Amino acid sequence: MDELSATLQIPIECENNVNLAALAEQRLGAAREHQDFVLLWNQEELGAAVVIGNQLHRGRTGRAGEIRFLPVPSAPLVRQGISAEGAGFQKPAVPQMLAELAKELGIEDFDDVPFAEAATKAIERATTVGDGLYPQLLETFATGLANVLATMKAILDPDLLVLSGTVLRAGGEQLRRLIESKLTELIPTHSRLVLGDVQQDPVLRGAVEYALTATRDEVFDTSL
């Protein structure tokens, strides 16, 4: 048994969680018929995945879609932060704006509650309460997201823009329409903006699809 264990090799691969969510939408959800699309993800973090020619675009270092490095209009530039390679990076401007406004409303203490949980509750309330500062919360959040999407649209011009992650799903169709309206004001766009169809564990379901593809490629490899 020990000899068998010693000779058994189990391949291990790593993939970005947002890329896996995009893979789930590509195989099972809203992006099934699209060769080029961008998935905007907001859950524990704000991120994006880029698919070009039906293939995930990871970039030279695997960081394509890391929009926390993207300067956002109206947000102050941050130069104190230093990445492992020595490059300055931006704070995630959209989550920061959301957290600050939600604190003003007394919705949740973002310092003591996981961001995804607090932000999801804040956006859910903002879509159902039509008075006070709640409309401002949703408006500011949508504006920040539209700014990010406009930049990606201008560079990539994808067929489709997909919104995914618990925070964006909490805003539902109301948030999607608001982002779409602001995006149209910023840049002439023919890209459809849709909510992701894969709502239950998109990262896990993308990982399963990724593993199945790798297994099929290994089993049916005819290149040898």
Side-chain angles (χ1 to χ4, degrees), residues 49-193:
V50 178
V51 173
I52 301 174
N54 218 33
Q55 299 294 322
L56 276 170
H57 177 70
R58 297 177 176 86
R60 184 179 67 84
T61 63
R63 291 186 174 180
E66 294 285 358
I67 54 179
R68 70 177 183 275
F69 292 90
L70 182 69
V72 177
S74 77
L77 294 177
V78 177
R79 293 184 173 86
Q80 304 97 299
I82 301 297
S83 71
E85 292 75 27
F89 61 88
Q90 306 305 309
K91 289 183 179 179
V94 173
Q96 288 285 75
M97 288 187 294
L98 179 61
E100 289 168 7
L101 280 171
K103 284 180 181 180
E104 289 179 16
L105 288 166
I107 295 173
E108 289 287 351
D109 186 345
F110 275 62
D111 294 329
D112 298 331
V113 179
F115 172 80
E117 178 184 337
T120 298
K121 289 181 180 179
I123 293 301
E124 283 176 347
R125 294 188 189 181
T127 58
T128 56
V129 178
D131 57 4
L133 291 176
Y134 284 96
Q136 180 185 344
L137 175 69
L138 204 62
E139 182 91 5
T140 303
F141 187 47
T143 298
L145 294 172
N147 287 341
V148 171
L149 287 171
T151 301
M152 302 196 76
K153 164 65 181 171
I155 296 171
L156 299 170
D157 193 24
D159 299 332
L160 187 72
L161 302 168
V162 181
L163 304 177
S164 186
T166 55
V167 181
L168 296 179
R169 286 202 304 273
E173 182 61 19
Q174 183 178 345
L175 177 61
R176 187 206 66 80
R177 287 196 304 266
L178 191 54
I179 296 170
E180 185 176 56
S181 174
K182 295 183 177 300
L183 183 59
T184 303
E185 293 174 357
L186 293 171
I187 184 170
T189 176
H190 297 290
S191 300
R192 290 179 58 223
L193 178 67

